[in-house]
Amino acid sequence: MKPVVVLGATGSIGRQTLEVAGRLGLPVAAIAARRGSDDLHRLAADHPDARIAVAAPTGEERERLAVLGERISFGPEAVAEAAALPGSVVVNGIVGSAGLEASVAALRAGNRLALANKESLVAGGPVVEAARRAGGGELIPVDSEHSALFQCLTGEDPDRVRRLILSASGGPFRGRTAADLAAVTVAEALDHPTWSMGRRITVDSATMMNKAFEVIEAHLLFGIPYDRIDVVVHPQSVVHSLVEFVDGSIKAQLGEPDMRVPIQYALTYPGRAAGTVPPFDFRDRTLTFEEPDHEAFPALGLGYRAGTAGGSAPAVLNAADEVAVQAFLDGRIGFSSIPVVVERTLDRLPPQEVATVAEVLTADRAARAVAAGQIGCSC
Ligand code: MG
């Protein structure tokens, strides 16, 4: 089996990937993280044969990591080099648009990219697609909904798809009105009912901006037009997504919410291996489905708007949201202001064509500056 490269190794996806790789007996070729934390030192000790890349270490961290000798390298280019290690499966669990360069490097090198960093695909869709075509790399989604769609589409003719139906848990504020949401706190937004994830994605789930990104991600991964991608709120997070075909048949992928399942599938595809998740028990389970509330969760509509506009618009959506979410976490803006900041940033920056990583990053920076201006800070 191919060696695994884990990017964002100290994060939630990274840790679960290392656990799955360990259980499957896959060698770990490289580990990358943003910072040289104690967690990274532990991972380096646990994987003595892995190359270690640290994207943005402090001077002190650099000195402390020097004990790793030739195994260690620094800077974003070191992370891209790890992603390009020939013949590997690269799991990209980097948070934010910083993951784009590594995604492109992995695909250009012809590697399998198991993508958990949806921002790199959302922000740089055309660039990621060009890298995939140029290098012949394989792109397998790790996001639970897209893994579900991917599994339902395997063996099917894409021309026979009527629509993709993305499941949304609805987040912690499902059922609340737009007026209720004005007063929610950071602690409430971080308390997700079914999935345990990083801070930004948890807030993005609460605003449903995460689902907005996932609509764009689905379009880019599977080439289905936006008017044939629907979102259904399914609070139990058991049906991970569905595909409806032209004959009226619907396929769905089900299971307990556990990211180790899509991570493992991305590593073993097209095969499957035994997992640690207990068998799903259907008895006494009620599964419900409802329409999303677009008024309370305007972020969802912004995803369709940016996706349909194309070019730099999804990059602007992502960057503006990152700034707005950070401002919310820092207590500088209220929860309801997050989509407002994003919408105003989209209004101010008409979509431009993006063909290179540099152009994506230019759009990203412009969006950050405009979003920060809306908030009234220099973040
Ligand atoms: Mg998801």
Side-chain angles (χ1 to χ4, degrees), residues 118 143-145 210-211 214:
K118 72 189 75 179
D143 213 352
S144 60
E145 295 81 356
N210 181 56
K211 207 52 56 181
E214 291 183 354

Side-chain angles (χ1 to χ4, degrees), residues 118 142-146 167 195 197 201 210-211 214 217 259:
K118 72 189 75 179
V142 167
D143 213 352
S144 60
E145 295 81 356
H146 303 79
S167 298
W195 291 100
M197 306 169 292
I201 190 175
N210 181 56
K211 207 52 56 181
E214 291 183 354
E217 189 183 3
M259 285 309 292

